[in-house]
Amino acid sequence: MNCRKVAINILERIINEGAYSNIILSNELNNSDLSDKDKALVTEIVYGTLRRLKTIDTIIASFVKDISIMDKKILNILRVAVYQMNYLDKVPSYAACNEAVEEAKEISDKDSKLVNGILRNFVKKEGKFDIVFRNKIDEIAFDLSFEPWMVRMFIKQYGEHEALEILEGLNNTPKMTVRVNSIKGDYEDVYEELEEAGYNIEEGCICPEAISIKGGKGIENNQAFVDGKITVQDESAMLISPLLDLEEGMKVLDLCCAPGGKTTHIGELLNNTGEVLGFDLHENKLELVKENYERLGITNIKLAQMDATKLDAKLVSYADRVLLDVPCSGIGIIRKKPEIKWTKKRKDLKEIVEVQREILENAWEYLKTGGVMVYSTCTLNKEENEENIKWFLSKHKYATIEKVFIGKGANLCYNQMGTLTILPNEYMDGFFVAKIKKN
């Protein structure tokens, strides 16, 4: 099966059936007999089409009466073709057009003529489409391919200049980053081992334990990964666990722990001493955390299913440290999961705030006096971030902000309150973190 067909099938599952891009893409590619080069092209087409979906659909809509009544498979064939023709230099326009027409023929001759007509017109336009924008927001939404409500939200919360930087940052193609596990390997040795295995790598941009992988084969079958010397984690997420100021022998709670990147980092920083209790709402996700910590050789983690919005009396005043990487809208990780642009609605962001606040209240009960709690999200929506922290501080007079400082960087925004927002770029996801002490 060719790359385009595989890409179209994967997009069908994501756009029409709600599958998660990272999971379905990984499963389909692992079960295919495509070469590494072809797998890279499929990945580029799938993520690129999702990333630019609004722009692509607006272009297609300029050639038809009503895009909403088009056959869904034909629409995805067109989307992939337009993405390749508009954004990929390495695929000649005539080739993308011819392949799309051939694929449409398998559905019907009428559909193949429609596809042929639209794509021929697309080529004739030479990038100058008949699109009328009602306002500047719609123009930004088209240019950067975001829903207008999200553009408006970022401009309202950050101002236009920073909002545009955020939107452009979220359109970056992410590099894969791995964290070296100090329990099993030395950074320099692991770095050398990856180089010898043919990976194109560089040191992380901010975390001392990070290695950025620019090219090479998939990491899952790499010996260093199999041996537990490395684990895949974004640099933004790597910054969170060290902020707990961990000391050997401590009791630590991670209330929303799946898939386990930060949980295993805590266990590693404690050097397999103390106790890390990891909880998650979904029991099936805990299996993934268990696989991770067993592979990494971490022995101080215990897992249990729990709804973090419900208080567990047994845990009151139990923990020296609590990590709250709360469920959130996920807008900061659009680089990795571009479908979030289209699946999230404004009301979802409002509804999640109540859940976050319930978890914050319970976490505070679990923390000993003198203990530290770290609150983090992978969103850039200030209602889920700064506003939640302000709300919490107004309710708890013994809670004080410990200022977060991890160094200087163009994408590190320190708030006057003492919190940190990490803006997305090619190396890092968008993140927010606050550190609170119980006096």
Side-chain angles (χ1 to χ4, degrees), residues 5 19 91 105 127 193 195-196 266 277 335 342 357 385:
K5 270 205 169 139
V91 179
K105 271 183 189 167
E193 189 177 333
E195 273 189 326
E196 283 168 9
I266 293 168
L277 300 185
R335 295 183 324 144
W342 323 118
R357 291 184 175 187
N385 298 341

Side-chain angles (χ1 to χ4, degrees), residues 88-292:
L88 287 188
D89 298 335
K90 54 193 166 192
V91 179
S93 285
Y94 69 85
C97 180
N98 291 344
E99 281 187 30
V101 171
E102 289 306 309
E103 279 148 19
K105 271 183 189 167
E106 291 175 20
I107 298 170
S108 78
D109 278 345
K110 186 183 169 191
D111 284 318
S112 75
K113 286 184 178 123
L114 174 69
V115 167
N116 190 38
I118 289 171
L119 295 180
R120 299 274 176 221
N121 277 330
F122 171 85
V123 172
K124 278 181 202 163
K125 290 284 182 185
E126 295 180 329
K128 297 179 182 71
F129 308 108
D130 306 323
I131 298 162
V132 179
F133 301 110
R134 293 171 304 173
N135 51 46
K136 191 173 183 183
I137 298 287
D138 279 359
E139 194 171 348
I140 294 168
F142 172 79
D143 287 342
L144 296 175
S145 210
F146 280 85
E147 292 288 15
W149 73 260
M150 207 178 278
V151 176
R152 276 194 298 273
M153 180 192 80
F154 280 133
I155 290 175
K156 186 180 172 188
Q157 293 185 2
Y158 289 87
E160 188 177 331
H161 176 72
E162 198 158 48
L164 291 175
E165 280 190 0
I166 288 169
L167 295 169
E168 282 169 6
L170 291 172
N171 276 338
N172 270 307
T173 303
K175 289 182 169 67
M176 180 187 278
T177 317
V178 295
R179 186 184 86 229
V180 176
N181 172 19
S182 60
I183 286 172
K184 288 236 184 153
D186 170 76
Y187 185 91
E188 295 303 329
D189 294 342
V190 173
Y191 195 97
E192 224 168 87
E193 189 177 333
L194 287 173
E195 273 189 326
E196 283 168 9
Y199 289 89
N200 180 6
I201 59 175
E202 62 185 11
E203 290 180 11
C205 72
I206 196 160
C207 297
E209 59 273 72
I211 297 175
S212 177
I213 299 178
K214 295 189 285 183
K217 307 169 285 296
I219 203 79
E220 293 84 0
N221 301 320
N222 174 271
Q223 201 53 50
F225 182 85
V226 173
D227 294 343
K229 293 175 187 174
I230 54 173
T231 192
V232 177
Q233 191 177 30
D234 189 83
E235 278 202 66
S236 294
M238 263 180 236
L239 292 167
I240 305 301
S241 299
L243 290 171
L244 287 162
D245 298 333
L246 297 162
E247 293 167 19
E248 292 196 4
M250 280 183 167
K251 291 179 175 175
V252 185
L253 302 184
D254 183 351
L255 296 186
C256 313
C257 74
K262 299 177 194 74
T263 323
T264 56
H265 201 181
I266 293 168
E268 179 193 327
L269 291 167
L270 287 171
N271 201 23
N272 272 340
T273 68
E275 183 179 58
V276 185
L277 300 185
F279 300 101
D280 204 82
L281 179 61
H282 306 285
E283 196 157 3
N284 59 322
K285 287 186 179 178
L286 293 173
E287 197 51 46
L288 187 58
V289 185
K290 184 168 182 276
E291 280 172 26
N292 273 330

Side-chain angles (χ1 to χ4, degrees), residues 91 287 307 316 398:
V91 179
E287 197 51 46
D307 181 348
V316 171
Y398 297 113

Side-chain angles (χ1 to χ4, degrees), residues 34-70:
L34 295 172
S35 67
D36 285 346
K37 190 180 170 189
D38 283 348
K39 285 178 181 177
L41 181 58
V42 170
T43 303
E44 166 71 56
I45 292 171
V46 169
Y47 280 131
T49 305
L50 286 173
R51 203 170 278 129
R52 298 290 175 177
L53 196 64
K54 184 172 187 66
T55 311
I56 291 166
D57 280 3
T58 307
I59 290 169
I60 294 169
S62 72
F63 297 115
V64 294
K65 274 185 182 166
D66 187 356
I67 191 174
S68 66
I69 59 171
M70 283 183 81

Side-chain angles (χ1 to χ4, degrees), residues 364 367 370-374 389 392-404 417-419 434-439:
W364 192 242
L367 193 61
V372 171
M373 173 168 95
V374 166
I389 300 303
F392 182 80
L393 293 174
S394 72
K395 289 192 69 187
H396 296 275
K397 64 178 179 180
Y398 297 113
T400 55
I401 285 273
E402 298 264 286
K403 282 202 169 186
V404 172
M417 189 167 50
T419 62
K435 185 173 172 179
I436 303 171
K437 188 167 186 179
K438 191 173 199 174
N439 295 308

